[in-house]
Amino acid sequence: MNSLTRTSATRSHKSAGSDGSAAAIRRPRLTGITWLVWRQHRAGSWTLLAITAVCVAWLVYQRADLTNQLSAHGWPLASSDKWLSGVHVQRFQLVSLGFGFVSIVLGVFVGAPLLAGDLESGTAKLVASQSVTPSRWLATKLGINALVVVVCTGALSVAFGRWWGPVKYEPTVLGWSDGSAFDNTGPVPVALALFTVVSGAAIGMLLRRTLISMVVTFGLAVVVQLVWHLQRLHLGHVVTITTHHGISGDVFPRLPASAVELDRSMISGSGQSYGWGTCAHEASEKVCAQKYDLVGWSVDYLPISQMSGMQWFGASVLFALTAAATVFIFVRGRKRIV
């Protein structure tokens, strides 16, 4: 009887163990250094994810409201002067302005304290005394936080792009070549945020103090934004259109819809270019044309069809810089992490 009882109990225990193992397989959990890093940063990560979810939901609602307003005014069949009254231009501008600070905020409050906080508090020294290698610790810290940053910025980029999509070709709402649209759609928000976050982490590793790292990261993020603003239009391939029907206003070349004009000049019969203000001090347009043998116009522009290519080209440069900063963190971290 006791043998049967023991056998039954053993079988029950094995059955329970099997059920427990199956449940464990069905419900994977974080363990080791991954669990430790997630627990350390989960408050900030959940906050970012929650804010992103609210912003995305609001943008989805705004797109639905926009399409309803546009449809009520005859969009997309009617001309833009009829349905533009249903567009809240200031709302687009304010939201795009706010999103422009996302990469700076993430770099300062996520990237800069990421390693500097552990180095300053001594947590890094504690981790180094365990069986976890510095490379694995750095990979986990950067990987988890980078994943959260990519998810948040990627979701905002998609949601903002869908909201802006119906009025994309109307420059009076948002110019596609301006930072308000170019930097908030496609891969650009993700690339800018990743670069500032990883750069902030590298700065924190070097300075080893949280507050000063945040200040320096802020300065770097602002410089990155300025450089990006100055170089944005250089990411595209300039298209030139010329005419040979005179220089009067009625024969000025027509550019494609939403094209961004970069430069214009007048050309002579010999092919020499003259600035568009050449005739400003001449007696008349006809006299000027005869004096310089002007036969037409030359206009440099960027079509909106290049927007996606320009974004991916610029993002690839930022991704390469992010990879370089990551390599620097690992190389220095393996040599001197504490």
Side-chain angles (χ1 to χ4, degrees):
M1 185 69 177
N2 292 336
S3 178
L4 292 174
T5 303
R6 287 196 298 272
T7 301
S8 178
T10 301
R11 289 177 178 175
S12 300
H13 178 71
K14 289 183 178 180
S15 177
S18 299
D19 294 342
S21 300
I25 294 175
R26 288 193 299 268
R27 298 190 300 271
R29 296 180 178 179
L30 298 177
T31 58
I33 188 64
T34 306
W35 174 85
L36 178 63
V37 172
W38 170 251
R39 186 176 180 85
Q40 182 183 15
H41 297 282
R42 63 180 179 179
S45 297
W46 280 121
T47 300
L48 287 177
L49 291 171
I51 294 175
T52 301
V54 172
C55 291
V56 168
W58 186 81
L59 289 173
V60 170
Y61 169 78
Q62 290 300 319
R63 186 184 190 279
D65 181 65
L66 175 65
T67 54
N68 291 335
Q69 293 287 339
L70 294 178
S71 300
H73 290 79
W75 177 87
L77 300 178
S79 58
S80 60
D81 58 336
K82 294 182 179 180
W83 51 258
L84 265 179
S85 59
V87 180
H88 300 286
V89 177
Q90 291 184 344
R91 189 174 301 173
F92 274 100
Q93 295 173 347
L94 289 175
V95 173
S96 62
L97 178 63
F99 281 1
F101 291 97
V102 169
S103 62
I104 298 177
V105 172
L106 290 176
V108 172
F109 293 99
V110 176
L114 188 61
L115 301 179
D118 288 354
L119 292 170
E120 187 176 16
S121 64
T123 304
K125 184 177 295 186
L126 177 62
V127 172
S129 65
Q130 306 301 314
S131 59
V132 179
T133 62
S135 296
R136 185 182 175 189
W137 176 66
L138 290 172
T140 307
K141 294 274 287 186
L142 290 175
I144 290 179
N145 287 275
L147 179 61
V148 173
V149 169
V150 169
V151 170
C152 293
T153 53
L156 290 175
S157 173
V158 172
F160 185 85
R162 284 183 55 80
W163 181 33
W164 177 57
V167 293
K168 180 178 181 179
Y169 292 91
E170 184 52 54
T172 58
V173 179
L174 288 180
W176 69 267
S177 62
D178 299 332
S180 53
F182 192 93
D183 297 350
N184 293 323
T185 57
V188 176
V190 179
L192 283 171
L194 270 182
F195 178 64
T196 53
V197 168
V198 175
S199 299
I203 291 172
M205 172 178 282
L206 290 174
L207 300 181
R208 307 170 74 87
R209 293 292 183 271
T210 302
L211 184 58
I212 187 62
S213 298
M214 294 173 71
V215 174
V216 175
T217 301
F218 175 79
L220 174 66
V222 172
V223 171
V224 169
Q225 290 285 349
L226 292 176
V227 173
W228 180 261
H229 172 75
L230 294 175
Q231 299 299 320
R232 187 186 301 114
L233 294 181
H234 296 283
L235 299 174
H237 175 69
V238 178
V239 179
T240 302
I241 185 174
T242 58
T243 63
H244 296 82
H245 306 292
I247 60 173
S248 59
D250 55 347
V251 295
F252 189 82
R254 295 188 60 183
L255 303 183
S258 302
V260 177
E261 182 180 324
L262 301 178
D263 189 23
R264 66 170 67 178
S265 60
M266 295 176 290
I267 55 176
S268 65
S270 61
Q272 184 176 354
S273 297
Y274 294 89
W276 60 270
T278 301
C279 298
H281 301 291
E282 298 294 337
S284 66
E285 186 179 275
K286 183 177 180 180
V287 171
C288 181
Q290 293 176 348
K291 179 179 180 180
Y292 297 100
D293 188 27
L294 302 177
V295 297
W297 291 95
S298 176
V299 182
D300 297 335
Y301 70 94
L302 289 174
I304 192 174
S305 59
Q306 293 192 22
M307 179 181 180
S308 179
M310 291 169 62
Q311 287 179 315
W312 279 105
F313 177 60
S316 65
V317 174
L318 291 173
F319 286 140
L321 294 175
T322 302
T326 304
V327 171
F328 169 79
I329 290 175
F330 277 92
V331 170
R332 182 175 177 83
R334 292 180 62 182
K335 294 180 179 179
R336 185 171 180 267
I337 193 61
V338 295

